[in-house]
Amino acid sequence: MSGNVELLSATLAAAKAEDRAALIAYLPAGFPSVDGGIEAVKAVLDSGADVVEVGLPHSDPVLDGPVIQTADDIALRGGVKIADVLRTVREAHAATGKPILVMTYWNPIDRYGVERFTAELAEAGGAGCILPDLPVEESGLWREHADKHGLGTVFVVAPSSKDARLATITAAGSGFVYAASLMGVTGTRESVGAQAENLVARTRATTDLPVCVGLGVSNAAQAAEVARFADGVIVGSAFVKAMLDAPDESAGLAAVRTLTGDLARGVRRGG
């Protein structure tokens, strides 16, 4: 079975045709539980998110801030496995028909086996992977198997990336380019800043792939700000925080539905 990178590309193109940015949400698998995590992913997709990144919880998430680290810790203490991540992708995609990526550090895939992981992710209906710590120069084996199974490979670029480096990264990627809006770890911030707009412009000069911005967006006003210049707005910590702050699982689902609706209106204002 082939993965859904074409669905991802079509979804981003459809948002562009509506003169708006796509809303891309991030939630870790297994948080607050495996079943609860699946319901949360379905809730954001049903409430206006175009794409979801399902996080594969990691014991040392070097690029993630304290909010996502807390959720990862809850998931890991709950015993989450790669099979649960794949089940999350499968059930959420089957329920919504929308594209779902896995965001993961490289080590778990390397241990699991690249061929096995790509085959199983494609079978689950996944659209691809975001691999924040896999250097392009070391990505050949991954990309070979991802391409074979119809999966996208999303690389991360940062404000510190030189133009020549941007060109190298974007030439190797597929699906979209993840532009980190600022240096540092994930988390909500007061403003997203001009660095992100400059990075998007520089990245677009090297590729026809959509450029989506993450790190720091937490409300509708920020989503609208980023949507003025980016093809997609990526929101993670704000969703996780909404669930962490909720008194129980049903309240958490209600909170992420409300937040998704606000952000979905925001990306439409920014277009």
Side-chain angles (χ1 to χ4, degrees):
M1 178 174 171
S2 183
N4 275 312
V5 67
E6 289 183 6
L7 175 63
L8 174 64
S9 297
T11 299
L12 294 170
K16 186 174 185 178
E18 294 176 13
D19 195 29
R20 67 174 178 89
L23 175 59
I24 303 174
Y26 166 93
L27 285 165
F31 167 75
S33 62
V34 175
D35 289 345
I38 291 168
E39 290 308 309
V41 173
K42 291 195 292 193
V44 297
L45 288 167
D46 287 339
S47 303
D50 299 289
V51 181
V52 163
E53 307 168 8
V54 171
L56 195 161
H58 195 274
S59 56
D60 184 27
V62 290
L63 295 178
D64 293 311
V67 170
I68 290 175
Q69 285 184 21
T70 299
D72 276 7
D73 186 53
I74 290 167
L76 291 166
R77 281 191 280 118
V80 70
K81 303 278 193 298
I82 286 181
D84 299 313
V85 178
L86 295 167
R87 182 185 150 214
T88 301
V89 173
R90 177 182 295 106
E91 294 193 15
H93 174 66
T96 65
K98 292 187 175 182
I100 302 180
L101 299 143
V102 170
M103 186 162 188
T104 179
Y105 297 98
W106 178 244
N107 191 40
I109 294 179
D110 194 35
R111 286 208 312 268
Y112 195 76
V114 176
E115 168 64 24
R116 179 184 175 198
F117 185 85
T118 51
E120 292 181 7
L121 180 58
E123 187 275 329
C129 265
I130 301 167
L131 300 160
D133 67 338
L134 178 64
V136 169
E137 293 78 7
E138 297 171 24
S139 68
L141 178 66
W142 163 265
R143 286 188 286 134
E144 175 191 336
H145 288 293
D147 290 348
K148 183 169 79 174
H149 290 291
L151 297 170
T153 300
V154 177
F155 288 111
V156 178
V157 297
S160 59
S161 304
K162 302 284 190 285
D163 290 350
R165 184 66 184 160
L166 289 176
T168 299
I169 293 170
T170 59
S174 53
F176 64 90
V177 182
Y178 187 127
S181 65
L182 39 88
M183 304 304 293
V185 298
T186 58
T188 61
R189 288 178 172 80
E190 293 303 309
S191 67
V192 181
Q195 268 191 321
E197 188 165 4
N198 177 257
L199 177 59
V200 169
R202 290 171 52 225
T203 304
R204 280 203 179 125
T206 72
T207 184
D208 291 329
L209 288 172
V211 183
C212 303
V213 170
L215 271 65
V217 177
S218 61
N219 58 46
Q222 291 174 338
E225 177 194 348
V226 174
R228 282 190 304 99
F229 58 82
D231 297 299
V233 179
I234 303 169
V235 181
S237 295
F239 283 114
V240 176
K241 187 174 189 305
M243 294 183 68
L244 282 170
D245 289 348
D248 55 48
E249 220 163 276
S250 63
L253 291 175
V256 297
R257 286 191 189 98
T258 299
L259 177 59
T260 307
D262 290 346
L263 292 164
R265 286 186 287 276
V267 298
R268 283 160 175 81
R269 284 213 310 272

